[in-house]
Amino acid sequence: MLSDVTTPQDLDDRLRESLAALTAPRHRTDPARPVAEGATLTGAQLLELFDAQVTSRQLDLAGRWLRSFGEGYHTISSAGHEGNAAVAAALRPTDPALLHYRSGAFYCVRAAQAADPAAGSVLLTADDDPDGTPTPPTAPTDPADGGDSADGADSPDPTDPGDLSDSADSAGDSPTVLDTDPTDDGGDGRARLAVVRRPVAAAYLEAARDALRGMVASGQDPIAGGRQKVFGRADLAVVPTTSTAASHLPRAVGMGLAVERLRRLDARGAPTQADPSFRASWAPDAIVVCSFGDAAINHASATAAFNTAGWYDHTGLRIPVLFVCEDNGLGGSLRSPQGWVATALRSKPGIRYFAADGADLVEAYQAAREAAAWVRRHRRPAVLHLSTVRLLGHVGAEAESAYRDAEEIAADLAADPVVATARRLVEAGLAGGGELLDRYDEIGWQIRRLAEQVLDEPKLGSAAEVVAPLAPRRPVRVTQAVADAGLYAAGPGAGARLEAFGGKPPELSGPLTLAQSINAALTDGLLAYPQMAVFGEDVAAKGGRYGVTGGLRDRFGPARVFDTLLDETSVLGLGLGAGLAGLLPVPEIQYLAYLHSAEDQVRGEAATMGFFSQGALRNPMVVRVAGLAYQEGLGGHFHNDNSVAFLRDVPGLVVAVPARPDDAAAMLRTCLASAVVDGSVCVFLEPIALYHARDLYGDGDGEWLAGYAEPGTWAAGHVPVGRARVYGVGSAEDLTIVTFGNGVRMALRVASALADEGIGSRVVDLRWLAPLPVADLIREAAATGRVLVVDETRRSGGVGEGVIAALVDAGYVGAVRRVAAVDSFVPLGPAARQVLVSEEAITQGARTLLAR
């Protein structure tokens, strides 16, 4: 008697028992014909999709087997979700796909679709007529072929285990005919078609090898290289996602927006210079597909994505995204209330609703084709609600019986989609139960052999190997990119530049404020990079909350400078998708505190793309953030936030904080070039209190203004990532003040006053909070032996902690003292002065340090 807990052994035994109980069909059906009346799916396709489902199921069992002796590190299974094979078959292999963890069957089908067309897989021809009407795929016409894919020519011989390691070398294999007597009519006058044993498609086995390598953290995993188990491969147009929740949905919306924009630009022949590496194989009418579980619809990121897609659709802006909700009724141990998912998805404004039973491949395939065709034709978003079951629990060895009763578990087992497909094959006269059981065992044997092989593959063996794709830095190329932009602006692009600036380029406009300098640099960036787009809340019509983006929309049009809805998660998601599609997004977040509500889009989505794709995929982006404190008359911690701790904690992120106008322009040019050259994700943190500052030491001195560099001098004035700026005041021999942002202005004032007393100071403007300019920091600290760290962020988790740690790590033995903001939110009005760093506090800290 089998237990009511779906252990791998139980699930395997039950499935084998169910297959063995299926009888042989009385009459064989031509696999080239539709599997049922009115169906689009052919028998040959259904046979291949069954193989994909079985491959996925055997991968789940192999994963649990690996885990049983400590060699498997991923046990979230696709069991019960194998109906997503039909979704993959209904799409083109070049449609970008963002898949959740339970997508084993989808991934196998996508691999088969993307295989060499010469292989002749019947799944390759699944497509739509231009009018959106589904067209039956081409299938083999030879009854004796049995729907075999010519992939079998490259499949390993199932009787030779050695072939598994080099299946591509086994050309010449052919289907094994088991019954070649078409004259046997079974007594009813109808000829019986031959029964054929089809070799397992090589593409399925390669897809299985990919998945198994991820499970065992193999360094040869083709997507993440052993860093994470994900479904992804650039050549399959599958984007790796690292969560079964909804954090990837905003990116999918951004990709849809970018796909449509690029399609329209390509149709007009307009230049974009978009990075072609990932989108090179996309068709002009490509759509984006994004899958997720039912519990994920309750996630804030999902709400943001659905709302953004619907919002843009309502305004007439097209976003061709197919959301696929695979609904197994559970999120972890929590049930989705009966009917809630369907009600919620149906109610999404601007999003067309489709639904299907994921256990019925024929129905699921038809619904997926209709949904994909609708999105492709109308260029509008839709959702496919696919009902599924969850077998093998949520993850690992959890006991489902702790939160599910035996009847519920048994009901899911009875709805096993692999068994359902097998029944359909038997009923359609395409195979017998014994044949399907043999097929199941054969694929299982090959998967187990693959699992044994990947066990011996090397793992990542050093920290350097792990972080290699995290944040590539090619400073020479970045410098050259800045120089090239300057040469173009001074040469071939001079006329367009003059026109963009209304006949008066900024270098001829006299000294500029920080805000004016950033505006000019954004203009030059939009001229230098046709793929660049500036967007965010209020950036277009209003020109930004502080006027920093004023005039950009008039200069470049609403396609390149546009307002978004008021949701930071969506703003960043649009940027992430656009960057992945090859554009150069420059989103703006109005206030630093607003960024915290969407930080997962930076930490979990943006910064991980290169890491989990070994650099094969990237999402270059420069996020402009107005922030930091010291805004007199405008208080409250949402407008005066001084916390950057989470930004400094994100591996690979570049964080720039310009204090002066001339630095702001140069650093922005560096960030744009770094994004283009290295795929960097940069946060450009702009001190609001310095936007319109003009004076330094006294009213009217104009010392905080600076001229804008001529394009021909951009290379000479280039500011590399991670290099500080040093100001010498007086003899510059007594004290080193390390600071950034608003602290630079205060520190220079204090240093000037100390110089009047004969005390010389070096003021080090870090400029880059990540990576810190450690070499410059150590050099300037050693020069005086006294370091005062002026940190406008909080004492706990602030920048000063990182600065002092860098000094200690480098063996600095001089004196050091810190002045930092109080561990408090910034209050309203004059009370803010009680918790923020002041010039008086800096002066007191300097005198205390000098007295030692």
Side-chain angles (χ1 to χ4, degrees):
M1 181 69 180
L2 296 175
S3 72
D4 291 316
V5 179
T6 51
T7 65
Q9 185 63 50
D10 286 344
L11 185 61
D12 181 50
D13 287 346
R14 287 173 185 259
L15 196 153
R16 299 184 80 261
E17 186 178 86
S18 297
L19 294 179
L22 296 174
T23 60
R26 179 172 175 76
H27 302 292
R28 294 282 170 168
T29 302
D30 183 353
R33 299 175 58 187
V35 72
E37 185 177 354
T40 308
L41 197 69
T42 67
Q45 285 181 304
L46 189 60
L47 285 163
E48 286 209 17
L49 293 180
F50 176 76
D51 281 0
Q53 291 184 306
V54 170
T55 302
S56 178
R57 178 64 57 84
Q58 292 289 5
L59 278 171
D60 293 337
L61 299 177
R64 300 302 177 96
W65 173 70
L66 290 165
R67 182 60 181 163
S68 69
F69 53 91
E71 291 290 348
Y73 307 102
H74 177 92
T75 53
I76 296 178
S77 72
S78 301
H81 284 245
E82 290 91 353
N84 56 40
V87 179
L91 296 163
R92 295 176 185 165
T94 54
D95 287 331
L98 295 85
L99 306 178
H100 69 132
Y101 275 150
R102 303 187 193 278
S103 299
F106 185 112
Y107 186 75
C108 288
V109 172
R110 174 58 65 91
Q113 289 175 317
D116 184 355
S121 170
V122 297
L123 296 176
L124 284 171
T125 55
D127 208 346
D128 300 316
D129 280 339
D131 65 357
T133 304
T135 300
T138 303
T141 57
D142 181 3
D145 199 15
D148 284 40
S149 163
D151 279 349
D154 293 328
S155 299
D157 182 346
T159 64
D160 182 2
D163 278 351
L164 286 170
S165 62
D166 54 354
S167 59
D169 294 333
S170 57
D173 288 354
S174 59
T176 302
V177 180
L178 301 184
D179 180 358
T180 58
D181 185 7
T183 62
D184 180 3
D185 62 9
D188 61 1
R190 296 178 58 187
R192 295 171 56 196
L193 296 178
V195 178
V196 177
R197 173 174 293 168
R198 300 169 295 113
V200 180
Y204 286 170
L205 295 177
E206 287 306 310
R209 194 193 300 270
D210 289 350
L212 289 165
R213 282 171 164 163
M215 291 178 189
V216 302
S218 166
Q220 295 181 31
D221 170 23
I223 184 64
R227 294 168 183 83
Q228 181 78 8
K229 165 62 181 72
V230 291
F231 288 114
R233 258 179 57 186
D235 61 325
L236 300 183
V238 177
V239 179
T241 62
T242 59
S243 173
T244 53
S247 60
H248 58 300
L249 269 66
R251 181 200 293 276
V253 175
M255 282 194 73
L257 186 66
V259 162
E260 184 62 8
R261 178 173 183 265
L262 289 168
R263 183 182 77 90
R264 297 189 179 203
L265 289 173
D266 289 344
R268 296 201 303 264
T272 61
Q273 292 186 4
D275 183 351
S277 57
F278 184 51
R279 62 179 286 259
S281 61
W282 297 355
D285 60 347
I287 67 173
V288 177
V289 62
C290 177
S291 64
F292 51 95
D294 54 290
I297 70 166
N298 305 303
H299 197 281
S301 295
T303 300
F306 291 135
N307 184 68
T308 301
W311 189 88
Y312 276 119
D313 186 78
H314 185 75
T315 67
L317 191 62
R318 300 309 184 206
I319 299 182
V321 176
L322 176 60
F323 298 104
V324 180
C325 178
E326 298 184 21
D327 181 3
N328 62 28
L330 289 161
S333 64
L334 303 177
R335 290 173 174 80
S336 294
Q338 185 68 32
W340 164 246
V341 177
T343 300
L345 292 177
R346 286 180 183 275
S347 67
K348 303 299 182 187
I351 300 177
R352 181 71 174 267
Y353 179 83
F354 296 84
D357 179 1
D360 186 339
L361 278 189
V362 177
E363 177 187 329
Y365 179 76
Q366 187 68 29
R369 284 180 62 80
E370 291 174 1
W374 190 89
V375 174
R376 202 180 304 280
R377 181 170 66 251
H378 295 285
R379 316 305 295 165
R380 297 176 62 188
V383 60
L384 173 62
H385 183 194
L386 203 65
S387 61
T388 66
V389 293
R390 192 180 76 188
L391 308 176
L392 291 179
H394 176 58
V395 64
E398 71 166 11
E400 288 185 278
S401 56
Y403 57 90
R404 303 181 78 189
D405 58 38
E407 290 75 16
E408 184 182 355
I409 295 173
D412 274 5
L413 285 166
D416 188 330
V418 179
V419 176
T421 303
R423 290 197 189 101
R424 172 73 81 155
L425 288 168
V426 173
E427 292 167 0
L430 292 161
E435 299 164 51
L436 296 176
L437 178 57
D438 287 346
R439 190 68 168 172
Y440 177 80
D441 286 340
E442 178 184 346
I443 292 175
W445 179 83
Q446 298 208 40
I447 297 298
R448 180 64 65 91
R449 291 293 294 160
L450 287 172
E452 292 172 351
Q453 289 173 11
V454 300
L455 280 174
D456 296 328
E457 293 180 350
K459 310 291 193 291
L460 294 171
S462 69
E465 283 186 273
V466 172
V467 304
L470 185 61
R473 296 275 181 265
R474 290 175 287 190
V476 175
R477 294 190 185 184
V478 171
T479 301
Q480 187 60 53
V482 171
D484 290 344
L487 291 174
Y488 179 80
R497 184 171 185 266
L498 190 64
E499 181 180 355
F501 282 111
K504 189 175 183 180
E507 60 268 22
L508 301 180
S509 299
L512 305 179
T513 63
L514 184 75
Q516 291 170 331
S517 185
I518 293 172
N519 180 279
L522 286 171
T523 301
D524 274 323
L526 286 161
L527 289 166
Y529 303 106
Q531 74 273 36
M532 177 175 157
V534 175
F535 53 90
E537 303 166 15
D538 296 325
V539 304
K542 186 177 180 178
R545 185 62 61 92
Y546 297 95
V548 179
T549 57
L552 294 183
R553 187 181 67 169
D554 294 337
R555 295 170 190 166
F556 298 97
R560 301 190 64 195
V561 182
F562 57 91
D563 289 322
T564 65
L565 72 176
L566 273 66
D567 175 62
E568 285 69 34
T569 294
S570 297
V571 172
L572 294 177
L574 292 175
L576 290 171
L580 193 57
L583 299 179
L584 176 56
V586 184
E588 178 187 290
I589 302 297
Q590 278 191 347
Y591 292 102
L592 176 58
Y594 296 0
L595 183 62
H596 301 319
S597 64
E599 67 180 63
D600 183 51
Q601 293 297 299
V602 176
R603 180 193 303 276
E605 291 292 320
T608 61
M609 182 53 64
F611 186 70
F612 291 133
S613 70
Q614 302 187 87
L617 299 173
R618 48 188 234 164
N619 40 218
M621 185 164 65
V622 179
V623 185
R624 293 182 46 252
V625 183
L628 300 176
Y630 299 99
Q631 300 174 71
E632 293 295 332
L634 182 63
H637 88 280
F638 276 114
H639 299 97
N640 270 329
D641 187 39
N642 63 340
S643 174
V644 298
F646 103 82
L647 291 173
R648 294 187 59 249
D649 182 56
V650 179
L653 194 70
V654 174
V655 181
V657 183
R660 293 186 59 92
D662 45 351
D663 275 348
M667 292 169 68
L668 184 53
R669 283 192 286 269
T670 298
C671 286
L672 293 173
S674 181
V676 171
V677 171
D678 293 327
S680 302
V681 178
C682 305
V683 173
F684 197 75
L685 184 56
E686 303 164 4
I688 298 173
L690 299 179
Y691 268 149
H692 306 298
R694 306 178 69 86
D695 307 320
L696 175 57
Y697 301 113
D699 292 343
D701 68 11
E703 290 290 329
W704 209 251
L705 302 173
Y708 191 83
E710 296 181 2
T713 67
W714 291 354
H718 173 56
V719 178
V721 172
R723 292 303 306 271
R725 178 170 181 169
V726 181
Y727 300 84
V729 183
S731 66
E733 296 178 350
D734 303 306
L735 176 67
T736 299
I737 304 177
V738 178
T739 188
F740 64 95
N742 294 291
V744 178
R745 193 162 175 246
M746 291 187 288
L748 286 172
R749 288 174 173 174
V750 170
S752 177
L754 292 174
D756 291 340
E757 302 175 14
I759 299 171
S761 304
R762 297 165 181 253
V763 176
V764 179
D765 178 3
L766 294 170
R767 297 195 293 196
W768 307 92
L769 303 187
L772 282 170
V774 175
D776 295 334
L777 175 63
I778 301 305
R779 184 190 64 246
E780 298 304 321
T784 65
R786 297 187 185 91
V787 175
L788 178 66
V789 180
V790 177
D791 179 8
E792 66 174 291
T793 62
R794 302 168 192 168
R795 179 167 293 273
S796 298
V799 176
E801 291 181 345
V803 170
I804 293 175
L807 290 171
V808 172
D809 288 346
Y812 173 74
V813 294
V816 62
R817 188 175 180 82
R818 177 168 54 133
V819 177
V822 174
D823 287 345
S824 169
F825 298 110
V826 181
L828 187 68
R833 301 170 194 163
Q834 305 304 315
V835 299
L836 296 175
V837 172
S838 65
E839 291 179 32
E840 292 75 17
I842 298 173
T843 301
Q844 181 180 349
R847 293 192 185 285
T848 301
L849 194 59
L850 289 164
R852 290 184 178 179

